[in-house]
Amino acid sequence: MTFLPIVARELRVTARKRSTYWIRFSAAAVAMAVCGWSFIFFTQMGAASMAGKMLFGGAVGLAWFYAVIGGVFKTADTLSEEKRDGTLGLLFLTDLRGYDIVLGKMVAASVNWFFGLIALFPVMALSLLMGGVAPGEFWRSIVGLTNLLFYSLALGMFVSSFSRNERRAAGLTIGLLVLLLWLPSSLAEWQQHRTGATVPPLGLVLPDVLSPMRFASDYEYGRQPQLFWQSLAASHGVGWLFIALASLIVPRTWQQPSGRVARWEEQAGQFSYGRNATRRRRFRQRALELNPFYWVAARARGQSVSILAVLLLACAGFLFWFVQDPQDWTNEDSYLFATFCLHSIIKVWLALAACRRFVDDRRSGALELILCTPLTTGEVVRGQWLALGRQFLGPILLVLVADTLLLCFGSYAVNYRLPRDQALFALMFGANVIVFLADIVALGLLSMWRGLKSRHSYTAWLWCVVQVLALPWVIFYVGLTVFFMLAFLPRVMTQANANTGWTQTLMDYMAFFMTGMWFVGCMAMAILSAWWAWRCLRSKFREQVTGVFTAGAPFRARPTPVPPTLPSPAERV
């Protein structure tokens, strides 16, 4: 028998796919665009000597984010999807073992993602030619990034081995990633601060997957080179531990749950829908009178309870931060950061909830059956909106109350030197709240449309987050650098010696201009995304659900050929 047969097969299949080459090309193109533009900006700003170091730092940050999200989008739903489809049990009818299936599925899901990471490395190598980065630091960073990607993929396989629900698998993977990337370093710093030790405890530092990235620099590696290799080995071993656990769990969880597990799932479902039959009956009657699809989408209340719990936990964390370090809250950045975190939780969660309903119903055929009823597409979209409002109205109001409190406390707690600074803080806070409300509407509509077009909810969610939340920041960065290079920087260089007061005034009001530019870009993207998604939902909803293909060229029947006849006797002569 071939060793790891699924791995060998998937590698041969992946080599023939067109996406294998496009992912590598796209990753390298994005890295070249970001790093090339940053290099031009830094050289124009007079930082040519530091361009190589800055370019390397930006490329490492981009590769770090790419490696971290690999487990969420590539392996978190690999085995759970096979369980839902009922095909995982067929593999155990053969001589395959648990590790054959786990490693095979992991390679099949992540080989393209791994090729994309490799495509980023030549862009990072440009910093070696510019200077500022030593070859040893470059190669150690590459090893650390590869280990981080392996760690993320292994964690996703571990979560997928005991999960069946796609949303729960992705959410649990994100939660564990955040916990494992943040908790060890935070505990190590707290323990070092409490004991007054010169070095943090190695029991917390070495298993941390981010430790190799911290010890990869020439300064840290020159002081204690063994910490890099020890942390690399320890975190890599944790990744293999996840794979080993997944290999042991998969043969025992591919069947439908029964016994105690089934009872737990039934109790969780009863809690989500409510145990009071009278209350459920009243809500069903009201919802069906208002919109039938609203009852289908809004009868589960677990979404609201979960997001309220997460928001309260985040508020408790910020309160603990305030009690521990009150000096940090004398700066307006802390209040803006808290607001940004609370807004991001709502946005990300709403986008995932909005697209999940249509993805699941389209996959199961429920949407196609609903369209056979007298319900129109507008009523289906309206019912989904009402369901989102019932689930997220309370959390949104809670966040707005928290924003009001943060604005009031920030206005009194921050030590402002000028009234202009207080006006800038209020302007930034107000712009942030308005953009938050606009993004809520845009993400709701766009996630519905992306959910109709995608096979997996996390794929639709990723495209929505990139378009509405990430793309405005990219446009803001490019527009700001263009303004600096073409308009602001030449005037400052020519008039700095002649009119220092003018330059200082321009620098003082630059923050207002940057806030306005960011606000206009975010609002424009939100309005355009909402308008485009609403237009597509109104005109292409039924076509997308039923899978109607576009009509091609009209069919033209060929003329019937006339059978040949034998010549007559006269014609023969």
Side-chain angles (χ1 to χ4, degrees), residues 346-388:
I346 292 287
K347 292 177 185 178
V348 170
W349 207 306
L350 183 137
L352 185 59
C355 64
R356 182 182 62 86
R357 167 59 58 183
F358 283 171
V359 168
D360 294 343
D361 290 349
R362 180 173 178 266
R363 184 189 301 168
S364 62
L367 271 182
E368 192 170 355
L369 294 177
I370 289 175
L371 293 181
C372 296
T373 65
L375 283 177
T376 62
T377 58
E379 291 174 337
V380 173
V381 175
R382 180 172 174 265
Q384 176 69 355
W385 258 118
L386 292 174
L388 291 176

Side-chain angles (χ1 to χ4, degrees), residues 304-351:
S304 301
V305 175
S306 301
I307 192 170
L308 282 174
V310 172
L311 289 174
L312 293 176
L313 185 62
C315 293
F318 288 122
L319 183 61
F320 177 77
W321 179 18
F322 176 78
V323 173
Q324 288 294 113
D325 297 314
Q327 189 64 28
D328 293 343
W329 293 86
T330 59
N331 190 356
E332 62 271 12
D333 295 339
S334 300
Y335 297 92
L336 294 174
F337 175 75
T339 304
F340 175 78
C341 291
L342 295 177
H343 290 181
S344 299
I345 293 174
I346 292 287
K347 292 177 185 178
V348 170
W349 207 306
L350 183 137

Side-chain angles (χ1 to χ4, degrees), residues 534-550:
W534 174 247
R535 186 168 175 266
C536 292
L537 286 172
R538 292 184 60 185
S539 59
K540 301 180 181 179
F541 189 97
R542 186 177 295 272
E543 177 183 353
Q544 193 66 38
V545 170
T546 56
V548 177
F549 297 98
T550 56

